C-alpha cells in the first residue's frame, strides 16, 4: 500500500469538523463565542482526531443571515476578535496537525457592503455592474425563493434608482454578478488574501448559484460557467499547492460530476462535494429500517477523478434538506423524525439533530456514526455531534441546530459566563441540556459517545481504503435491513456491516476471491470471523448492530 499517497492528497481521508466561532467558546464572557476561545478548545479537536477545521463565516456582517451576509470580505467580525486572533487559530491548529478552511460566500454580499452601498446610489456607480439589475418590473418569482418564510420573490426594487436588484436568498443579500470580469477578479483576490494567511482551502457556499451568471457576457473569456470555477481552482493551486475547494452542490449526481471537472483523470474544479443524495437516502433508509436506499445511492454515485472526493455527512449547519426525495419519500422521513410542523422547515427539511430524531437511542446513534465513517468518502462532522447534542426548537429556523457548544454541566454549558440574555443563542434544554450532554463528563467516560467517535476516527484514519476506494462494493445478503459493503484500495480491504433494523441478524457472506487463509478481524470490538475454503462466512449482528471487519491475509504486516 502506497501510504505516502495519503499525505499528498490529504483530503481523501481527512476528518473535517465544522463550527461557528460565535457559538463555540466565549473567552471574554460577553456572550459571543470568539477566536481566543476557539484557540483554547483546539486540543479537544486534536484529541478527537480532527484533521481539518472548517470555520463558518467570521467576517464583518449585518448578521441578518447568521454571518452569511458579509459586509467586508477582508475583515474579521470585531465581536469574534481580529485578524491576529485568526492567525493564532491557524498557527495553533497547524501545530496540532489540523488544517483550517473557511467559508467562501461569494454568491452575494450584505446590502451593507461598500460595493452595494455605492451601486445603489447611482446607475453610474463603478460598482453598479457588480450586481444584477433590471429596469422593468419582474414577473412573479415566488417559485424561485430559497427562504419562502421571509421572501416572496428574488427581485427587490431599490428606491434610489427605481430599478430592481436580484437576491437569490434574503433581500438583504444582493447577488454578485459573476458575468462581470471585475467581480471575478475581486473574488480571486479574496481567495488569495486568505490563502496568504495559511489556510488550506475553502468551503464554497451555494456553488450553482454563484456560477449562474458567469458565462453571460458576449465575447467574454469565460464561455462556460465551469470555466470560472476552473480559473479559481487553478489560481488557488498556484498560491497553495495542496489547498482544496469543497463545494455545496445540491444537485443530482450527473450534474454534480460536472463540478468535479467532467470525465478528466484529474479534477480541475471542486476538490470535494457534499453527498446530498447519499445523506437524504440515509434518512429514508433509517425511516424505513431498510438499507436499500443507501445501497442504491452508493451504486448511483458516478465515477469521479482520482484526486476528487465525496464529503459525507449526517448533519450540517442548515436545515436537513430532503429536496431530492420524492414527495412521498420526504413525508416518510417527516413522519419518522419530525412529525410536528415546528420541526420542519420550508417544506423541504428538518431543523433537528440526529440524537433527538432517533429518540436518544444510543444503539441507533452509534450505528449511524459507524455507518458514516465506513462509507467511501471524507466524513464531515458538525460541532457537538461527537457528544450527541440536540437542538433547541425555541430558536428560529435553522438556528435550532446552531446552539452554544456544551462543554460542561455548569451554567450555559460552560460556553460563557455571561447572563443568558446576552448569549449568541439559547442553550439546549430538556433531556439534551448540558446537564446531561457535555464534553467534560464524556471525556471521563470510556463508554461515552465521545469515546466511541474517537475510536471511529482512529480506525477510519487507519483504513485509507475507506477514502481511496473508487466505489463501495455492495455485498449480496438476504436481509433488507442490513447494508454490507466492501471498500478496497491497493492491498487493503475492509468489510462493513450495519443493521438498520431492531431485530438481530445472522448475515451470510460469500467472497469468491477469499479462502480459509483469510480472516476478517473486527476493528471496533474484540473478535473475528473465519472464512471457509469456499470463501463463505457468517457475521452476527445485533439489532442496530455494526461491524468493521478488516481483511487479513497470511503475512499481512498492517497493525490491527
Amino acid at each position: 500500500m502506497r501510504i505516502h499517497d495519503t499525505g499528498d492528497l490529504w483530503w481523501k481521508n481527512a476528518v473535517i469538523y465544522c463550527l461557528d466561532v460565535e457559538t463555540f467558546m466565549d473567552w471574554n464572557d460577553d456572550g459571543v463565542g470568539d477566536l481566543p476561545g476557539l484557540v483554547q478548545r483546539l486540543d479537544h479537536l486534536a484529541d478527537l482526531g480532527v484533521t481539518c477545521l472548517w470555520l463558518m463565516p467570521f467576517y464583518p456582517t449585518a448578521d441578518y443571515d447568521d454571518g452569511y451576509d458579509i459586509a467586508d470580505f477582508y475583515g474579521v467580525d470585531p465581536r469574534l476578535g481580529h485578524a491576529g486572533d485568526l492567525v493564532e487559530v491557524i498557527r495553533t491548529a497547524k501545530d496540532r496537525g489540523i488544517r483550517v478552511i473557511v467559508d467562501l460566500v461569494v454568491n452575494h454580499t450584505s446590502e451593507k457592503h461598500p460595493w452595494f452601498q455605492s451601486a445603489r446610489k447611482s446607475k453610474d456607480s463603478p460598482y453598479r455592474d457588480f450586481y444584477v439589475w433590471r429596469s422593468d418590473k419582474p414577473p412573479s418569482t415566488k417559485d424561485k425563493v430559497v427562504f419562502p418564510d421571509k421572501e416572496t420573490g428574488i427581485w427587490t426594487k431599490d428606491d434610489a434608482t427605481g430599478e430592481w436588484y436580484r437576491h437569490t436568498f434574503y433581500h438583504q443579500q444582493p447577488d454578485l454578478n459573476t458575468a462581470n470580469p471585475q467581480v471575478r477578479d475581486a473574488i480571486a483576490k479574496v481567495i488569495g488574501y486568505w490563502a496568504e494567511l495559511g489556510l488550506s482551502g475553502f468551503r464554497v457556499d451555494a456553488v450553482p448559484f454563484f456560477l449562474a451568471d458567469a458565462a453571460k457576457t458576449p465575447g467574454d473569456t469565460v464561455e462556460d460557467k465551469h470555466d470560472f470555477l476552473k480559473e479559481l481552482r487553478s489560481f488557488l493551486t498556484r498560491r497553495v499547492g495542496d489547498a482544496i475547494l469543497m463545494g455545496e452542490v445540491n444537485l443530482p449526481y450527473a450534474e454534480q460530476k460536472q463540478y468535479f471537472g467532467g470525465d478528466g483523470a484529474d479534477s480541475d474544479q471542486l476538490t470535494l462535494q457534499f453527498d446530498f443524495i447519499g445523506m437524504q437516502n440515509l434518512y429514508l433508509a433509517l425511516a424505513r429500517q431498510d438499507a436499500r436506499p443507501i445501497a442504491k445511492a452508493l451504486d448511483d454515485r458516478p465515477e469521479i477523478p482520482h484526486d476528487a472526493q465525496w464529503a459525507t455527512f449526517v448533519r450540517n449547519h442548515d436545515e436537513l434538506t430532503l429536496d431530492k426525495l420524492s414527495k412521498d419519500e420526504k413525508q416518510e422521513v417527516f413522519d419518522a423524525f419530525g412529525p410536528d410542523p415546528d420541526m420542519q422547515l420550508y417544506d423541504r427539511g428538518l431543523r433537528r439533530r440526529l440524537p433527538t430524531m432517533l429518540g436518544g437511542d444510543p444503539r441507533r446513534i452509534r450505528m449511524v456514526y459507524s455507518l458514516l465513517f465506513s462509507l467511501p468518502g471524507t466524513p464531515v462532522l458538525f460541532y457537538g455531534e461527537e457528544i450527541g447534542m440536540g437542538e433547541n426548537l425555541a430558536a428560529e429556523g435553522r438556528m435550532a441546530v446552531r446552539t452554544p457548544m456544551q462543554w460542561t454541566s455548569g451554567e450555559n454549558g460552560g460556553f460563557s459566563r455571561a447572563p443568558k440574555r446576552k448569549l449568541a443563542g439559547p442553550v439546549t434544554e430538556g433531556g439534551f441540556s448540558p446537564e446531561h450532554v457535555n464534553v467534560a463528563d464524556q471525556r471521563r467516560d470510556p463508554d461515552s459517545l465521545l469515546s466511541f467517535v474517537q475510536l471511529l476516527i482512529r480506525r477510519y484514519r487507519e483504513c485509507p481504503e475507506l477514502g481511496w476506494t473508487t466505489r463501495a462494493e455492495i455485498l449480496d445478503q438476504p436481509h433488507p435491513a442490513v447494508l454490507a459493503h466492501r471498500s478496497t484500495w491497493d492491498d487493503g480491504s475492509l468489510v462493513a456491516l450495519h443493521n438498520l433494523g431492531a431485530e438481530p441478524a445472522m448475515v451470510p457472506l460469500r467472497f469468491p476471491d477469499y479462502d480459509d487463509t483469510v480472516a476478517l478481524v473486527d476493528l471496533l470490538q474484540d473478535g473475528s470471523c473465519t472464512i471457509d475454503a469456499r470463501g463463505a462466512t457468517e457475521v452476527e449482528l445485533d439489532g442496530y448492530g455494526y461491524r468493521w471487519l478488516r481483511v487479513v491475509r497470511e503475512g499481512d504486516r498492517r497493525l490491527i
Side-chain angles (χ1 to χ4, degrees), residues 248-461:
E248 180 189 32
V249 183
N250 184 12
L251 293 173
Y253 279 139
E255 295 179 58
Q256 278 193 273
K257 181 176 179 178
Q258 300 174 33
Y259 289 84
F260 282 124
D263 296 319
D266 298 319
S267 63
D268 59 5
Q269 295 182 47
L270 294 174
T271 323
L272 299 96
Q273 291 185 59
F274 293 97
D275 185 2
F276 283 96
I277 303 296
M279 178 276 293
Q280 295 181 46
N281 280 279
L282 166 64
Y283 281 93
L284 179 62
L286 291 173
R288 293 176 173 175
Q289 298 196 27
D290 184 333
R292 286 173 290 187
I294 304 173
K296 184 178 187 304
L298 290 172
D299 271 340
D300 287 346
R301 276 184 177 180
E303 184 177 349
I304 61 175
H306 80 102
D307 59 347
Q309 184 60 297
W310 296 105
T312 57
F313 65 105
V314 168
R315 199 62 183 87
N316 64 11
H317 58 295
D318 291 331
E319 77 276 6
L320 184 74
T321 184
L322 304 169
D323 65 327
K324 295 300 180 288
L325 299 180
S326 71
K327 182 178 179 179
D328 289 343
E329 291 170 340
K330 181 176 65 174
Q331 192 60 51
E332 285 185 68
V333 180
F334 279 165
D335 291 344
F337 303 130
D340 187 332
D342 187 45
M343 299 172 178
Q344 303 167 16
L345 197 61
Y346 311 137
D347 193 37
R348 65 172 182 253
L350 292 163
R351 59 192 202 104
R352 309 190 75 194
R353 283 184 179 249
L354 178 76
T356 55
M357 287 191 279
L358 298 184
D361 187 336
R363 301 172 301 163
R364 298 186 78 186
I365 295 169
R366 293 181 185 223
M367 181 271 295
V368 171
Y369 284 108
S370 171
L371 176 57
L372 169 67
F373 280 90
S374 75
L375 293 175
T378 296
V380 181
L381 292 173
F382 186 47
Y383 77 94
E385 282 192 272
E386 71 272 27
I387 58 171
M389 276 177 56
E391 73 280 350
N392 188 334
L393 293 175
E396 183 179 2
R398 298 172 167 190
M399 302 307 293
V401 300
R402 302 180 188 178
T403 57
M405 182 65 178
Q406 297 171 192
W407 296 106
T408 72
S409 60
E411 188 73 12
N412 299 330
F415 161 71
S416 173
R417 291 180 291 195
K420 286 186 180 296
R421 68 180 185 279
K422 292 187 176 182
L423 298 185
V427 177
T428 298
E429 300 175 345
F432 291 87
S433 69
E435 180 183 356
H436 305 289
V437 178
N438 66 78
V439 173
D441 289 347
Q442 293 195 25
R443 279 170 58 88
R444 293 168 173 79
D445 181 0
D447 295 322
S448 67
L449 179 61
L450 176 61
S451 296
F452 180 67
V453 174
Q454 286 175 317
L455 173 63
L456 288 175
I457 291 176
R458 184 167 74 249
R459 293 308 196 198
Y460 169 82
R461 293 283 292 167

Side-chain angles (χ1 to χ4, degrees), residues 1 3 459 461-465 489 491-494 523 550-552 555-560:
M1 177 174 289
I3 198 68
R459 293 308 196 198
R461 293 283 292 167
E462 292 171 350
C463 300
E465 56 266 38
W489 176 59
D491 65 346
S493 190
L494 184 136
L523 298 184
R550 174 174 288 167
V551 177
V552 179
D556 198 329
R557 301 179 69 178
R558 296 180 69 186
L559 293 174
I560 303 299

Side-chain angles (χ1 to χ4, degrees), residues 99-155:
R99 292 175 168 87
V100 180
I101 65 174
V102 301
D103 256 310
L104 180 68
V105 186
V106 288
N107 174 68
H108 50 255
T109 68
S110 166
E111 63 177 350
K112 303 297 184 184
H113 195 287
W115 295 345
F116 191 68
Q117 291 292 297
S118 173
R120 75 191 317 178
K121 288 180 180 178
S122 168
K123 295 180 183 179
D124 297 323
S125 164
Y127 292 101
R128 185 70 174 182
D129 289 337
F130 270 48
Y131 298 89
V132 182
W133 301 87
R134 63 184 299 160
S135 57
D136 58 320
K137 186 177 181 179
S140 173
T141 52
K142 187 176 182 179
D143 60 327
K144 297 181 180 180
V145 170
V146 174
F147 300 125
D149 62 329
K150 298 292 185 181
E151 303 291 345
T152 58
I154 65 170
W155 294 93

